[in-house]
Each structure stands twice: as C-alpha cells, then as structure tokens.
Amino acid sequence: MSATLSIRPSGRALAADVEGVDLSRPLDAATFESIRRAWHEHLVLRFRGQRLSDPDLERFSAMFGRLDRAPTYSKGVRVDVHSDFVTVISNVVVDGKPIGDLGNAESLWHTDMSYNDAPPMASALYSLEIPPTGGATGFCNMYLALETMPAPLRERIATLRCVHDASTNSVGGRRGDYAEVTDPRQAPGARHPMVVTHPETGRDALFLGRRRNAWIVGLELAESERLLDEVWAHCTKPELCWYQDWRVGDLILWDNRCTMHRRDEFDPTTRRIMHRTQIAGAAPRSRLLDPTPAVAA
Ligand code: OGA
Ligand code: MN
C-alpha cells in the first residue's frame, strides 16, 4: 500500500474518505488493492480534491471492471460528452436543452439501472460544479438493512423476487418509449431476488431497486404493497444512512449491489454538473433461490 494512502471511516453506517491518492495518475497494484478492500468494507468511498478529465474518470473506474454504457437519457437531453460511457447528471440548460439528466428535483431512493437483468455493480460520480446549498446525496447500507430487519419480515422476503420498473427514472421522469405503468404487476423490467448474495464479499444484502411500480412477484397486489412499505420504511432509517455534502472535485464510488442512494432537491436557478461512469455487473443472485451459490463459502 502507498505510504500516503489513508482510509477514514465516516463513523456512520457506511462510507469512508480515501486520502493521499491522486486519481488523475495511474495507481500501482498495491494501492488499488487497498482501495478495493476499503470499498468492500465501507461500500461507499469518497475521494476529495480530485481534478479529473473524463478519460481519468473512465480509467480509474475501469480498474474495477468493464464499463457499462450510459443509460437512456430523458427526452430532450442533449448529451454533452464525447464518451458513450460517461453519463452527465446536470440541471444546466444550454440553448433551451438540458446538458444532462435528472434536473434539480429530489431523486428517490434507488439502485442504478436495476431494471436491467445485469445492473451495474458500481457507479462513480464526480462533481464539476455544485450549487451553494441542497443537492446532497444520501446512501444506505443494504447489508445492515437486512441484518437489522425484524426476523419474521426477513424470513418472509428471503426467497421472493421483485419487479424493477424500467419505465421511470429516479426523479420520476419517463424513460425512453415506455408507456405509463398503471398496475405494478404489468411493469416492464427485470425480476431480481429481494435478498442477494454479494459476489465478492459473500454477504447477503437486501436488494430493492425503487419503490415506485415495484411488485413482489406472485403476491396479491395489496399484500405486495404492504410488505414493500414495511421493508422500505425499515431500510431508509437514518441510522442506516450517510449523506454526502458535495464539494467540487469529490469523486464518490458506490457499490450498487449493497447500497441505495437518493438526492435532495436544489434551487433550479443554481448550477450542478456531475459526470458519472457505471461499472458493469453480473445478474444478482441469491444463495437460497439460485442452485449454485454466488460465492463458494
Ligand atoms: C446517479 C444519481 C445522484 C446525484 O448519478 O445515479 O442518482 O446526487 N445521482 O446526482
Ligand atoms: Mn442513481
């Protein structure tokens, strides 16, 4: 490990600062291994004071695995980057067109792109411009959410699957050409186990995606709604969360398999510009539902 690298845990349910590393330069294998280990332990890493070009962001993220293409943007967004792998998250409008997605609205708790059969294992979000107030990003620890869940509830959901709606994005906007979903049982999108086994740590985590248009496959709608409300109320409790107050030059790397995130709204007359990469992942697996376990325990 590099002599200057240090890991400072947030003291909350998840997240740590990584200090003493410049991500615009190539990392040696030992430093990268320390970062990866810290990431598995703390789920979200923050690297402050970085100055990264898009190729820097891509190079660092790609050390964790192959990059996923940017998701389908909302209608009207003019994409302002020269890479298929960098997503622009911004409310800035140029010549009447947003330069990125998600605007300034609150984004609800979610897992990135979990409507895909194989959602990204991780996302890396880098801040170029931030508003003076608002726009903080919250993360919750889904290992801990599962571990602290009342046992009867945990047992009830252990072998159930849930639909991850593909028709809306995390601020409630319509994605691509999907029609409006009026019955969650008809929602398009992947069906994933509600409890998944992390392929690298071997630990079980709650896996939810997003609340809107979710349906627990096979249940009566009312029963599914009741169970989902109970599970969601539990996993977003403040003691399971940590909030990122952005500074320019922050890079946040989160594990999309064992965390969810949300964003506070901010004043639409202020500017926020973030660039994001997403690292490809495997289809989520459950040690109970899938015949071969994700990890040889
Ligand atoms: C994302 C996302 C939150 C934010 O990029 O996936 O949810 O704070 N962003 O912009
Ligand atoms: Mn997101």
Side-chain angles (χ1 to χ4, degrees):
M1 157 164 160
S2 120
T4 54
L5 189 78
S6 79
I7 310 293
R8 283 202 309 128
S10 68
R12 311 276 314 179
L14 71 170
D17 275 295
V18 182
E19 293 165 355
V21 65
D22 176 355
L23 302 180
S24 71
R25 310 173 77 119
L27 298 180
D28 62 68
T31 301
F32 177 69
E33 214 26 62
S34 303
I35 291 173
R36 201 215 314 255
R37 232 176 298 121
W39 185 50
H40 285 153
E41 188 175 346
H42 301 289
L43 325 188
V44 177
L45 295 181
R46 175 169 65 188
F47 303 81
R48 292 215 120 139
Q50 303 294 320
R51 281 178 68 106
L52 305 181
S53 64
D54 286 338
D56 292 337
L57 176 61
E58 289 187 38
R59 187 189 56 246
F60 173 62
S61 334
M63 291 185 80
F64 293 86
R66 184 174 60 78
L67 298 186
D68 250 351
R69 283 172 191 277
T72 308
Y73 286 88
S74 303
K75 282 204 169 62
V77 171
R78 88 171 195 187
V79 179
D80 205 23
V81 286
H82 299 289
S83 166
D84 289 343
F85 299 98
V86 173
T87 310
V88 182
I89 307 291
S90 184
N91 68 317
V92 171
V93 174
V94 174
D95 297 335
K97 283 193 162 185
I99 63 164
D101 220 334
L102 303 188
N104 72 296
E106 175 185 0
S107 105
L108 302 175
W109 285 109
H110 66 279
T111 302
D112 284 338
M113 296 159 73
S114 64
Y115 40 76
N116 291 338
D117 288 335
M121 68 155 100
S123 302
L125 188 62
Y126 175 64
S127 65
L128 294 150
E129 277 190 59
I130 56 156
T133 58
T137 310
F139 294 88
C140 68
N141 180 334
M142 298 292 269
Y143 294 130
L144 207 53
L146 183 68
E147 286 158 17
T148 57
M149 190 175 281
L153 184 57
R154 193 170 63 227
E155 282 153 24
R156 176 80 176 94
I157 64 164
T159 54
L160 298 177
R161 288 179 197 268
C162 189
V163 172
H164 292 238
D165 174 35
S167 72
T168 57
N169 67 21
S170 61
V171 291
R174 196 78 55 77
R175 295 185 58 253
D177 295 321
Y178 286 107
E180 184 180 354
V181 170
T182 50
D183 180 340
R185 289 170 295 193
Q186 315 286 314
R191 297 174 168 204
H192 296 302
M194 294 184 72
V195 175
V196 297
T197 307
H198 193 293
E200 289 175 82
T201 65
R203 296 176 67 191
D204 283 351
L206 183 63
F207 193 71
L208 294 179
R210 51 200 73 184
R211 177 65 186 88
R212 182 172 171 163
N213 295 334
W215 173 57
I216 302 179
V217 178
L219 296 195
E220 294 289 336
L221 191 53
E223 169 68 354
S224 165
E225 292 289 311
R226 191 190 63 72
L227 258 183
L228 286 170
D229 284 344
E230 208 177 326
V231 169
W232 276 88
H234 171 73
C235 72
T236 55
K237 284 182 182 150
E239 61 269 28
L240 299 175
C241 301
W242 169 80
Y243 272 80
Q244 151 71 347
D245 285 312
W246 289 94
R247 295 183 195 159
V248 169
D250 284 352
L251 175 79
I252 297 276
L253 174 75
W254 67 82
D255 193 326
N256 203 39
R257 300 163 292 192
C258 53
T259 66
M260 292 197 297
H261 56 282
R262 64 170 294 279
R263 178 186 78 188
D264 290 337
E265 65 180 339
F266 56 95
D267 179 346
T269 65
T270 61
R271 292 164 61 94
R272 188 177 190 268
I273 304 179
M274 310 284 197
H275 283 189
R276 189 186 86 186
T277 50
Q278 39 288 313
I279 303 157
R285 299 174 64 90
S286 145
R287 68 169 90 244
L288 294 174
L289 283 173
D290 300 306
T292 44
V295 187

